[in-house]
Amino acid sequence: MRGNLCDVPNVLVGHATDLEGITGCTAVLFEGPNGAVVGVDVRGSSPGTRETDRLGPVGAVRPTHALLLTGGSAFGLAAADGVVRFLEERDIGLDVGVARIPLVSAAVLFDVLVGDPAVRPDVVMGYGAASAAASGNFAQGSVGAGTGATVGKVLGMDRAMKGGIGSASVRVDGGLVVGALAAVNAFGDVRDERGVLLAGPRLEDGKLGHTVELLPEAAARVRWGENTTLGIVATNARLTKPQTNKVAQMAHDGLARAIEPVHTTVDGDIVFVASVGAVDAVVDVVGAWGARVMREAILQAVRSAESIAGIPSLSEYASG
């Protein structure tokens, strides 16, 4: 076990990172002719998405060939076209007789205040992320969709800390594998398993503040739509479309255990769930472990992050 999303068979992960523009994207591809059965649950009030309606429990059962998490806010959705192009060149997609149409769902986070706002993930970057996708260990922290991610922004960006992208996985008795990937760009704080504050708004005295406690006075200055945590849970369990949607609901518990507050009006929190295997498993078991590995992925994102553009990471803040 590598301890990341690629522990789930037939799942590939690749990043594209622009350290000058301070943005990037992360592609998750599903090997095999049938792709994955994918569901989604949106809990934040400010989401940015592409092709998520068909993932609902009443959507026609069609395979999903890839998922994309990307920076750049709504502009970054253009990177999904690069993933589509990559898959089309390899004749991967839904056969409609006259063509094979790659089905790629995507979600964005807002990072344009951190780097160059004119630089966003585009077709080239999306293609690059898909080209880099592989099964194995992959970089975490300030890479891919986590490049410009930040957390703890109730006092503004100049008091925020660095977020990032992280991953975790677990193998359960009976051969069940559940993995998670999280791009953490939350409005709120990030806390560890014991409730200890890892990252949040930095106060003038050098200590970390608690967003919930600071929110009453700062609420009028909170800007709309600048925050989001994006997650993907993948499993080798055999799940139907309604079941993947149920697991996506449960996996949001992982966000709530690690981030406070979460699912706010200024967050666009989204969790995708992909079923790529044939292992028989109880839905509640998959969902319970999905929530747990999602929390671990969020913590790994913050622990792996590196400081960028003057925004300190956990490692720098702890050592300072």
Side-chain angles (χ1 to χ4, degrees):
M1 295 283 288
R2 307 178 186 91
N4 67 40
L5 194 72
C6 290
D7 284 327
V8 180
N10 302 316
V11 174
L12 313 178
V13 176
H15 300 304
T17 302
D18 185 335
L19 290 176
E20 293 186 3
I22 313 181
T23 191
C25 59
T26 299
V28 177
L29 276 54
F30 307 113
E31 286 190 306
N34 298 320
V37 177
V38 175
V40 68
D41 191 82
V42 180
R43 295 289 174 95
S45 298
S46 303
T49 61
R50 164 179 166 148
E51 285 194 39
T52 52
D53 284 354
R54 65 179 180 82
L55 304 181
V58 297
V61 178
R62 298 293 189 190
T64 293
H65 303 101
L67 295 171
L68 180 74
L69 307 183
T70 179
S73 190
F75 298 110
L77 288 172
D81 289 336
V83 181
V84 170
R85 179 179 298 176
F86 175 86
L87 294 172
E88 183 184 23
E89 289 176 357
R90 286 148 185 81
D91 201 30
I92 297 172
L94 177 66
D95 189 353
V96 295
V98 296
R100 288 187 179 273
I101 303 175
L103 299 180
V104 179
S105 295
V108 302
L109 57 81
F110 187 99
D111 57 4
V112 298
L113 293 181
V114 179
D116 184 344
V119 177
R120 309 108 178 202
D122 55 11
V123 172
V124 173
M125 190 173 287
Y127 190 98
S131 300
S135 178
N137 291 318
F138 53 85
Q140 299 183 43
S142 302
V143 295
T147 304
T150 52
V151 301
K153 287 166 275 191
V154 70
L155 297 179
M157 191 63 69
D158 59 343
R159 298 288 188 86
M161 288 183 65
K162 191 68 181 67
I165 197 160
S167 192
S169 69
V170 65
R171 181 182 296 275
V172 186
D173 291 346
L176 173 67
V177 180
V178 183
L181 179 78
V184 185
N185 188 55
F187 172 71
D189 314 325
V190 176
R191 301 166 182 272
D192 70 10
E193 303 88 339
R194 300 167 297 165
V196 176
L197 192 59
L198 298 182
R202 294 173 288 124
L203 304 178
E204 291 184 1
D205 62 5
K207 297 180 180 179
L208 296 183
H210 299 269
T211 296
V212 172
E213 296 172 5
L214 294 167
L215 189 55
E217 293 186 9
R221 301 191 301 274
V222 173
R223 294 163 62 96
W224 172 85
E226 295 180 359
N227 318 276
T228 286
T229 297
L230 306 175
I232 297 173
V233 171
T235 179
N236 63 349
R238 182 192 295 112
L239 300 175
T240 64
K241 183 74 71 63
Q243 289 173 331
T244 59
N245 278 268
K246 182 59 185 177
V247 172
Q249 287 182 352
M250 296 178 69
H252 271 282
D253 291 349
L255 274 69
R257 293 170 191 167
I259 301 170
E260 185 186 27
V262 72
H263 305 144
T264 72
T265 59
V266 295
D267 282 289
D269 303 329
I270 298 169
V271 173
F272 296 96
V273 170
S275 167
V276 293
V279 173
D280 291 326
V282 177
V283 172
D284 289 339
V285 173
V286 181
W289 281 106
R292 181 171 289 189
V293 294
M294 180 58 68
R295 177 188 65 186
E296 294 303 316
I298 292 168
L299 299 182
Q300 184 62 25
V302 171
R303 288 167 172 157
S304 301
E306 297 179 354
S307 303
I308 201 167
I311 301 172
S313 64
L314 169 61
S315 59
E316 177 185 309
Y317 197 77
S319 64

